Amino acid sequence: MIWGDDLKYWNNKLGKYRAMLNNKELSDHLPPTRLVNKSNVKGMLDKYRAVYLKPSHGTGGFGIFKLSSSKKGYRLQNGTRSRSFATFDGAYAAFSKEKGKKIYLVQKGIPLLHFQGRPFDLRVMVQRSPERKWEATGIVGRLARPHKVVTNYHSGGRPMPAHELLAPFMPKNKQVSYVAGLKTLGVKISRHMRGVFPRFRSYGVDIGIDKALKPWIIEVNTSPDKYIFNALTDKRMFRTIMRYSRLGK
């Protein structure tokens, strides 16, 4: 057990990761993740060549770093800022100085699919229906802003229809079943998380897709932003999401 003796699940990235790790079906879609310390970051970087450093508390993609290694040295990215270092010690020291006393996680860097040269992921919205069943009410793509390492809407990510982002990687007939599978995964996550965090009525599941088209659970949000769906030209998903959201009031 890599987390120590405290078995409580808190509503933060670490707590939600722990909760899903105990579900065999979901754990296969979780990128390896550990608490940040110098040894853990070095070990994971040596193994995966790229890792994300994320605050356990925080939303909107703020405070996230990408650390990568190559024969030329190490690269630390945050927002649109990128710095190069000759040694791991130098890169980690720079990150540690900015991290301060915040609790951070180190996560395997998933080689996300790219659209027009920029990485993207997908947000699946899952809500309780009028019949009190979990239902995937929307899916939207998030295309990273140029030179940024995160796709989050509030960090400049561009909302786009999922089918438009997936089009270069699969034919239209396959998209239908693939998106249906992502929605099913979102519902399974929400049902499981309901047992850990019972007071929440909606979840925003962020899913990254690698070059083999395997979906990875990047993050699960317990207070997902509904208005990203309003940025799409087609408002049908947004109207459904807003109607379902009013059921809990």
Side-chain angles (χ1 to χ4, degrees):
M1 186 70 174
I2 63 174
W3 305 114
D5 297 327
D6 181 6
L7 300 181
K8 291 181 179 179
Y9 298 122
W10 300 102
N11 184 22
N12 54 35
K13 292 183 179 69
L14 174 56
K16 287 179 280 193
Y17 179 84
R18 283 175 169 176
M20 290 185 286
L21 197 62
N22 286 333
N23 182 299
K24 187 176 181 180
E25 186 176 9
L26 300 183
S27 65
D28 183 54
H29 296 277
L30 289 172
T33 303
R34 300 186 67 122
L35 284 168
V36 157
N37 60 42
K38 192 172 183 179
S39 176
N40 284 345
V41 175
K42 183 66 163 64
M44 290 186 67
L45 189 61
D46 286 346
K47 185 173 183 179
Y48 302 118
R49 314 310 296 176
V51 296
Y52 283 89
L53 306 163
K54 302 180 174 184
S56 187
H57 295 79
T59 59
F62 300 108
I64 294 178
F65 295 79
K66 181 180 181 181
L67 178 60
S68 53
S69 64
S70 68
K71 293 179 181 179
K72 296 180 179 179
Y74 298 85
R75 186 183 185 194
L76 183 67
Q77 297 170 263
N78 172 238
T80 57
R81 183 186 185 192
S82 179
R83 289 171 285 173
S84 297
F85 299 87
T87 65
F88 170 77
D89 286 350
Y92 188 82
F95 158 71
S96 186
K97 182 178 179 180
E98 296 200 34
K99 175 183 80 72
K101 296 182 178 180
K102 292 181 180 178
I103 297 173
Y104 262 70
L105 308 180
V106 53
Q107 187 176 81
K108 174 186 176 181
I110 302 301
L112 296 176
L113 295 182
H114 282 56
F115 182 85
Q116 297 178 348
R118 290 182 271 165
F120 70 87
D121 61 16
L122 301 172
R123 160 68 62 87
V124 178
M125 176 70 86
V126 185
Q127 296 171 285
R128 297 275 271 183
S129 73
E131 296 75 31
R132 300 185 62 79
K133 295 180 180 179
W134 288 107
E135 182 180 331
T137 50
I139 182 168
V140 61
R142 306 185 306 176
L143 183 65
R145 182 180 171 185
H147 310 298
K148 277 207 168 186
V149 298
V150 297
T151 61
N152 302 67
Y153 184 37
H154 295 288
S155 292
R158 176 186 170 192
M160 293 184 63
H163 67 84
E164 189 173 337
L165 294 172
L166 293 173
F169 307 99
M170 62 186 75
K172 191 171 183 179
N173 63 327
K174 186 176 180 181
Q175 283 184 43
V176 175
S177 59
Y178 189 82
V179 169
L182 297 181
K183 290 181 176 180
T184 297
L185 177 60
V187 169
K188 288 178 179 178
I189 292 168
S190 300
R191 286 174 179 163
H192 178 72
M193 297 297 274
R194 176 75 173 180
V196 183
F197 304 107
R199 70 185 181 91
F200 296 105
R201 296 182 56 88
S202 62
Y203 290 95
V205 180
D206 296 337
I207 296 176
I209 304 170
D210 66 18
K211 295 178 181 178
L213 300 184
K214 177 176 178 176
W216 293 90
I217 305 167
I218 304 300
E219 192 172 332
V220 177
N221 300 272
T222 51
S223 299
D225 178 19
K226 301 180 285 291
Y227 292 93
I228 184 176
F229 290 89
N230 195 38
L232 298 175
T233 302
D234 187 337
K235 306 295 182 185
R236 286 176 293 179
M237 286 188 291
F238 178 66
R239 287 195 291 266
T240 299
I241 289 166
M242 294 304 293
R243 178 165 56 87
Y244 278 34
S245 68
R246 288 191 288 268
L247 296 174
K249 294 184 179 180

